[in-house]
Structure formats: structure tokens, C-alpha cells
Amino acid sequence: MLIKKPEDIKGSEITDENLYHNRRKFIRGAVLAGSALATGFIYRKLAVPSREKAPADAVARAGSYLTAEGEPSNDFEDIANYNNFYEFSTSKSGVAPRAKGFVTRPWAIEVDGLVHKPKTFDLDDLLKIAPLEDRVYRLRCVEAWSMVIPWLGFPLAKLLEQVQPMGEATFVKFFTLFDPARMPNQIEDVLPWPYVEGLRLDEAMHPLTILASGLYGKTLPPQNGAPLRLVVPWKYGFKSIKSIVKITLTNRQPNTTWGDYAPNEYGFYSNVNPNVSHPRWSQATERRIGEFGQRDTILFNGYGDQVAHLYKGMDLGKYY
Ligand code: MTE
């Protein structure tokens, strides 16, 4: 994500993003990138971080985690060391070291609003609502990079069914923990805290939408949104909010952190769409972490046959 307000970005910096993508290919494995607008200057300043190593069985199982289309998962090391989680750091390589030791037990998740049975769930009880499944999904960041991640989770619909949404509920709002003592970057004014996100209720109930508590068959590392995060694979990655403490059902489209920050850049729907550019760069292609070159970005991140019907009647060429 971009922490500078659009008006603060100089044209020269925008060009640097392409440069950054090219440089990154060559330095992969040696030094992790800073932000999407990182420059060579930042690379030189960064000490080589100690990367989180994959558990041995994750390495052994890596080959068996494929998407439905047969794409292999990214290495655990990439997934766990190249992160966007502004509550800890705005540097992708800075998140894992700063999130190390983030305590996720006890943890409660409150579900309230337009529901017949509001309830605060203890996390360990919540994880028993439905069997955890491996879901190997593409994650396409709005910054034009992507990964394949083998999540462990269960459909959000299973949790929502427990609280029985009222007939008038049409949207769902999600809240990340706000606790600057535990999430050190929350003392900084980089974003309005807590991080909040939203979905339409039918998007939230869609079987592809999951709450993830793990990846590579293991407990979720803190930097990936422990203990529980949302994953909505057909939308840009910023919709997949991390470290959730509260879910509210409502009848109004909720505000979102990035939408509040830059409404003309981060729409409520934010479905992956190669034909609708971000105001400052194209979304036509993406860089798969770990690969050379660019791939074409696919409408709805390749999940169109399952989700396109949700947007019937909406003009997909329009920015939402
Ligand atoms: N959730 C919170 N609370 N804070 C964040 O900064 N970043 C988002 C999303 N969820 C973010 C967040 C963005 S921009 C992306 S691309 C994904 O998390 C990255 O998830 P990952 O680090 O597990 O790959």
C-alpha cells in the first residue's frame, strides 16, 4: 500500500515503482524490499534481515499445495517475510521481525449488529465451528504483485450462520485489534486506526470467503494476521483484513480504512480488474513473487466463474 497521500507523490517516484520491480527480481533472496515505492537508497540502508525459516514439514509439503489451476504455492519464506501489515511496520520486510512475539491468546471476537444472536466468541471455540480446510488461493495486492498462499481456514458464512443475520442486514464490517502497546506502529499517524474493512453480506456469505487461522497447515504467523484474518481471493489484498477482533452486521455500506484515506484510489468493492487502472498505475499485469517478468492480471483474480454473478448489473468498467 502507499502511505503517501497522492498529492505528496512526485512523478519521479511513480516511475521508480517499475524500477523497483525490476531490481527486486535480482535481489530476491538477499535483501527484502521495503515499500512499494522503495528506492535504492532504502535498500542500501536496510540491514539484511534474518528471514523466518519454513517449518521442515512445510518445505516437504510445499509441492502438494497447488491452486485448482495447478499453480504452486509461494515458498513459506516469501509468504512470511514479504508482508503488508501497517500496524507493525510500513516496510514489507519490517513486519515479521516487529510482529514476532505478538501475543494472540487469549483472543476474543465480538459479532454484533443486525443479528438475532450477538455473541463474543473465544477464539478457540470459534475455531471449532467448522472443520479447518486447506484453501490454496491467489492473493493479488493492489500494488500489482501477487502470491499463491495455502491458507488453513473455514468459510466466514459458517460463523455468520451462528449469529443469525437479520433480514435487513446487507453489509458486514470488520475491525482489526487496536492496541498500540502490542501493535507498535499504531502510535504513528500513518493510517486511521483501527484498520477497518467491509463486504456486502452476499460477498461475505460466498463460499470462497474464508477466515484463515493458518497457512501451510500450521498456525498463522503473526505477520500474516494471526490469530484470525479474512481472505477474499477475488478482491485486492487490502480487503483481507488481519487480526480481527470485531465483526458488525449493518444495513449501510461501511467505511473502510483505505477508502477513508484515499477515496479515489481504494473503492469499497475493489474487485481485481485488469481493465480498471489504479489512478496512478495500471492493473493490467502483476509480478508473481518469486518469478521473473510479469503475468497478465485476470478479472476477479481468476475466480470469475464463481463470483461474477454477484456483480450482475454493475458496470465492471467503472471504478468502485
Ligand atoms: N490488515 C491490516 N489490519 N493491516 C494491514 O496493513 N494490509 C492488507 C491486508 N490486510 C493490512 C491488512 C494488504 S495491503 C495486503 S496485500 C494483505 O493484508 C497482505 O497479506 P499478507 O501479508 O498475509 O500477504
Side-chain angles (χ1 to χ4, degrees):
M1 303 299 292
L2 301 163
I3 55 167
K4 294 181 182 180
K5 290 250 184 221
E7 60 269 24
D8 299 336
I9 309 278
K10 294 197 288 287
S12 57
E13 288 180 284
I14 297 162
T15 319
D16 275 347
E17 193 186 10
N18 289 327
L19 194 86
Y20 156 79
H21 285 317
N22 291 328
R23 287 182 61 109
R24 172 78 168 86
K25 286 175 207 154
F26 295 104
I27 58 162
R28 179 173 178 269
V31 180
L32 285 171
S35 74
L37 290 176
T39 62
F41 171 69
I42 292 173
Y43 291 132
R44 280 193 296 277
K45 272 188 72 180
L46 273 180
V48 177
S50 62
R51 304 191 82 199
E52 179 138 343
K53 293 277 185 307
D57 61 334
V59 176
R61 293 167 74 188
S64 59
Y65 284 108
L66 305 173
T67 63
E69 292 74 26
E71 299 157 280
S73 290
N74 276 85
D75 295 342
F76 177 88
E77 280 88 352
D78 281 336
I79 297 168
N81 293 282
Y82 188 82
N83 301 103
N84 275 331
F85 201 170
Y86 275 25
E87 286 84 342
F88 291 99
S89 173
T90 53
S91 142
K92 288 179 173 55
S93 59
V95 174
R98 293 193 83 183
K100 216 181 171 95
F102 176 57
V103 176
T104 58
R105 291 293 191 289
W107 191 278
I109 295 171
E110 186 184 356
V111 190
D112 69 0
L114 298 176
V115 295
H116 291 292
K117 294 192 164 175
K119 183 171 171 180
T120 299
F121 294 83
D122 173 72
L123 178 74
D124 294 311
D125 294 336
L126 188 149
L127 293 178
K128 290 181 197 132
I129 289 175
L132 296 177
E133 307 162 32
D134 288 314
R135 295 280 188 106
V136 188
Y137 285 160
R138 291 175 289 278
L139 177 115
R140 169 58 159 84
C141 180
V142 74
E143 294 165 340
W145 55 264
S146 64
M147 291 202 203
V148 173
I149 305 185
W151 303 109
L152 187 64
F154 68 94
L156 170 62
K158 298 280 181 203
L159 172 63
L160 297 179
E161 282 160 14
Q162 296 268 318
V163 295
Q164 298 179 9
M166 292 178 178
E168 57 265 48
T170 42
F171 289 93
V172 186
K173 183 171 181 178
F174 304 85
F175 300 74
T176 291
L177 174 71
F178 178 70
D179 187 347
R182 292 157 70 195
M183 295 183 140
N185 222 30
Q186 285 180 334
I187 58 166
E188 304 291 340
D189 201 14
V190 284
L191 283 179
W193 308 115
Y195 193 105
V196 289
E197 254 306 335
L199 293 175
R200 228 170 47 193
L201 183 60
D202 58 345
E203 297 176 321
M205 297 296 286
H206 192 282
L208 282 178
T209 304
I210 58 166
L211 289 170
S213 62
L215 61 82
Y216 266 118
K218 294 275 187 196
T219 303
L220 204 58
Q223 59 270 33
N224 293 98
L228 197 73
R229 58 95 55 86
L230 183 70
V231 182
V232 195
W234 69 95
K235 293 179 178 283
Y236 291 120
F238 68 88
K239 300 290 295 178
S240 293
I241 182 173
K242 297 178 168 182
S243 303
I244 297 168
V245 290
K246 186 172 152 84
I247 300 175
T248 300
L249 282 86
T250 140
N251 56 6
R252 289 220 310 263
Q253 182 175 303
N255 68 309
T256 65
T257 293
W258 283 102
D260 289 346
Y261 182 78
N264 64 326
E265 300 202 357
Y266 306 106
F268 178 79
Y269 284 91
S270 282
N271 293 318
V272 173
N273 190 338
N275 307 312
V276 177
S277 296
H278 183 279
R280 288 183 284 123
W281 61 86
S282 163
Q283 294 291 21
T285 62
E286 66 199 51
R287 180 179 56 102
R288 176 71 46 87
I289 300 298
E291 285 183 1
F292 290 90
Q294 296 277 316
R295 291 174 167 247
D296 287 340
T297 288
I298 308 171
L299 184 62
F300 296 119
N301 204 20
Y303 300 97
D305 53 345
Q306 294 165 78
V307 301
H309 68 274
L310 297 173
Y311 309 102
K312 227 170 152 191
M314 283 172 73
D315 177 1
L316 293 181
K318 208 176 133 200
Y319 172 85
Y320 288 104

